[in-house]
Amino acid sequence: MNTKTTVLGQTYQFRDLKEIFAKANEDKSGDQLAGIAASDSRERVAAKQVLADLTLADIRNNPMLPPEEDEVSRVIEEGINEKIYNEIKNWSVAELREYILSHEAGDNEIKRISRGLSSEMIAATAKLMSNLDLITAAAKIRVVTHCNTAIGQQGVLASRVQPNHPSDSVQGIKASLYEGLSYGIGDAVIGINPVIDTADSVKDILNMTKEVMDKWAIPTQNCVLAHVTTQMRAIRQGAPADLIFQSLAGSEKGNNAFGIDVKLLDEADELMRKEGTSYGPNFWYFETGQGSELSSEAHFGIDQVTMEARCYGLARKYNPFIVNTVVGFIGPEYLYDSRQVIRAGLEDHYMGKMHGLPMGCDVCYTNHMKVDQNDMDNLGILLSAAGVNFVIGVAMADDVMLNYQSTSFHDIAAFREVLGLRPAPAFEKWLEKMGIMENGKLTPIAGDPTIFM
């Protein structure tokens, strides 16, 4: 494996694959914090040059986190289709990138080849792509999944309605939910982040959302984003859960910090098969985000883009209904400004789709970042153009419980209108029945939650 190159008369010798991958990244404050980022643009170019010439076999044969030391690595390794891998193992990373972006590689071809790729191989291609490359490649890939309803179809931009409340007031959640529904938001999921992580609180919220769904015959699915063990207790006590949720990390140690491991995820998967209330077959909801492994000191010197890709390698084991990166939620320690947040959102969406995942994004930022709402508008439009499966809507783009900024209900309506996108088919029919939408356009009563009162 060649780890040396010369750029403008200066020779660069990289120690190993970890260093090549990290220094080939676009600038990220998280990599700087970890002490693994390129020192300047010239070193970054040198790392990209070396990375481009590596073969896929080089990457697989030199694991950054060996399978015998990490269960996420084992899941990724066991998921590789050996026949497809053997067809392409001698390709360079540059050749794989060129193939993905070529006219000969469409949806089916990319989905097939992705089965022979490890998460690290997918991350490598992202490091060699421009923002437009990431959009172009991801836009080719459609991932349709089915829980109670199906999302991910061509021309569809689905949405999670996120009616969080600072004290888990069921009536407060319901009021925000009705407003979101009145804007046509909620076809991906009615998903609430609870303040109180108890089975009783989760049951109360799940029961309320299911009652609303049944009363108004809403074709969607519900979920309360408590810890997976809390949801499991609630489900065993009879709570009506269509989806089960968990945040993921890209290493076993990172997942341990979240209080999970593969054995627990397998147990939750089996529970949902037996006691989940959705039609299926897809009933998992995962969230990820660059930097989480660094925050728990569980990155092992691996850069945050590669660790994020490894989250998707774990997620695809469970054939989820939806996955999303909470792109700017952690803060400027990992993504410093709007340029880094936009880049990360496009990277994550591309890498998720390359794993065959139904990829969404929480287009968001914390208030101490060098980002504003215009930047979120930009990223929302870019992801919508890239074929993102769903985005997240909160009232006035301001989550009063999680204390961060996201996209609003009316922002998502605007994304759809500007790009000619529609809600999920079953949900759109419901919106038409309610008089909220007609011929793909919101009607004058849209945005008025009193229609549910």
Side-chain angles (χ1 to χ4, degrees):
M1 184 176 72
N2 179 45
T3 60
K4 184 167 71 172
T5 192
T6 300
V7 176
L8 298 177
Q10 182 172 347
T11 298
Y12 293 88
Q13 174 69 61
F14 299 103
R15 183 177 60 256
D16 54 20
L17 210 57
K18 287 183 185 180
E19 186 177 17
I20 295 167
F21 268 58
K23 294 189 173 181
N25 262 359
E26 293 300 300
D27 198 24
K28 298 284 175 63
S29 57
D31 292 336
Q32 293 171 354
L33 180 66
I36 59 176
S39 58
D40 54 30
S41 295
R42 186 180 292 187
E43 187 178 31
R44 182 173 297 111
V45 169
K48 287 178 185 286
Q49 190 169 300
V50 171
L51 179 61
D53 291 336
L54 295 179
T55 67
L56 304 184
D58 287 334
I59 294 172
R60 191 177 188 188
N61 294 337
N62 294 275
M64 288 180 268
L65 189 50
E68 57 269 20
E69 299 175 13
D70 182 89
E71 68 177 8
V72 176
S73 296
R74 290 195 290 276
V75 168
I76 294 168
E77 180 68 18
E78 291 164 2
I80 294 175
N81 181 298
E82 296 295 342
K83 177 176 174 57
I84 297 171
Y85 167 74
N86 284 321
E87 293 173 9
I88 60 175
K89 65 182 180 181
N90 294 321
W91 287 14
S92 68
V93 175
E95 288 171 326
L96 176 59
R97 171 193 174 275
E98 289 298 313
Y99 177 77
I100 292 167
L101 292 170
S102 71
H103 291 303
E104 65 184 287
D107 181 41
N108 289 334
E109 290 77 13
I110 293 176
K111 284 176 180 171
R112 179 183 185 275
I113 205 170
S114 72
R115 293 165 55 213
L117 301 175
S118 70
S119 301
E120 290 81 358
M121 297 170 198
I122 291 170
T125 62
K127 298 167 191 290
L128 301 183
M129 289 188 176
S130 68
N131 286 7
L132 184 56
D133 291 339
L134 296 169
I135 293 168
T136 301
K140 295 182 179 188
I141 307 167
R142 306 308 310 182
V143 182
V144 179
T145 51
H146 193 283
C147 184
N148 290 327
T149 59
I151 64 170
Q153 303 91 335
Q154 185 70 36
V156 167
L157 173 60
S159 56
R160 168 186 162 189
V161 62
Q162 183 170 297
N164 292 347
H165 190 276
S167 65
D168 282 352
S169 163
V170 171
Q171 291 307 309
I173 292 169
K174 185 186 291 187
S176 183
L177 169 58
Y178 281 152
E179 184 185 13
L181 291 169
S182 74
Y183 276 105
I185 308 307
D187 45 345
V189 62
I190 299 169
I192 295 92
N193 297 88
V195 177
I196 307 162
D197 196 278
T198 66
D200 286 342
S201 179
V202 168
K203 278 194 298 181
D204 289 344
I205 299 171
L206 285 172
N207 282 324
M208 181 275 290
T209 53
K210 185 62 77 171
E211 287 167 7
V212 169
M213 290 167 60
D214 291 344
K215 178 178 179 179
W216 297 99
I218 306 170
T220 187
Q221 28 281 317
N222 70 345
C223 186
V224 174
L225 286 70
H227 192 270
V228 65
T229 54
T230 308
Q231 296 169 81
M232 291 167 72
R233 286 194 296 273
I235 291 166
R236 286 177 173 133
Q237 293 171 22
D242 296 328
L243 290 171
I244 192 164
F245 165 84
Q246 182 53 44
S247 295
L248 297 181
S251 70
E252 181 177 353
K253 185 178 179 182
N255 284 316
N256 288 341
F258 284 146
I260 64 168
D261 56 21
V262 169
K263 181 180 179 181
L264 178 60
L265 295 177
D266 288 346
E267 182 183 347
D269 189 77
E270 182 64 22
L271 177 66
M272 282 298 287
R273 291 183 188 280
K274 292 179 177 178
E275 299 188 39
T277 51
S278 60
Y279 296 108
N282 311 114
F283 44 74
W284 271 102
Y285 177 4
F286 292 121
E287 282 189 345
T288 66
Q290 289 190 29
S292 62
E293 298 83 10
L294 180 57
S295 68
S296 60
E297 299 183 350
H299 64 104
F300 299 93
I302 302 170
D303 68 276
Q304 62 188 49
V305 171
T306 303
M307 292 305 291
E308 180 72 6
R310 287 168 54 85
C311 296
Y312 305 140
L314 175 58
R316 70 177 168 184
K317 168 180 166 68
Y318 296 98
N319 298 310
F321 177 65
I322 46 177
V323 179
N324 75 266
T325 169
V326 192
V327 68
F329 184 69
I330 302 180
E333 301 87 351
Y334 308 106
L335 299 171
Y336 181 70
D337 57 17
S338 60
R339 181 174 59 85
Q340 294 187 16
V341 170
I342 289 170
R343 173 70 187 187
L346 297 177
E347 287 168 340
D348 296 353
H349 176 244
Y350 160 76
M351 294 190 297
K353 283 288 183 68
M354 281 296 299
H355 281 82
L357 294 175
M359 199 66 198
C361 183
D362 189 352
V363 181
C364 65
Y365 64 99
T366 59
N367 289 308
H368 61 316
M369 298 173 75
K370 294 190 69 170
V371 183
D372 63 25
Q373 206 62 39
N374 287 328
D375 300 315
M376 297 302 94
D377 292 347
N378 294 343
L379 179 54
I381 282 288
L382 291 173
L383 286 167
S384 298
V388 70
N389 275 41
F390 76 105
V391 288
I392 291 177
V394 301
M396 298 300 294
D398 183 12
D399 194 303
V400 294
M401 192 281 278
L402 291 172
N403 196 28
Y404 79 120
Q405 311 307 307
S406 187
T407 42
S408 72
F409 305 141
H410 52 279
D411 288 337
I412 299 170
F415 297 158
R416 287 171 173 165
E417 186 162 336
V418 168
L419 296 173
L421 302 171
R422 311 287 277 262
F427 196 78
E428 183 174 352
K429 288 180 181 178
W430 176 78
L431 292 172
E432 290 175 343
K433 184 179 73 172
M434 294 293 296
I436 296 169
M437 181 169 276
E438 186 176 340
N439 297 322
K441 304 284 187 183
L442 293 178
T443 67
I445 70 167
D448 179 5
T450 64
I451 62 176
F452 295 102
M453 301 175 189

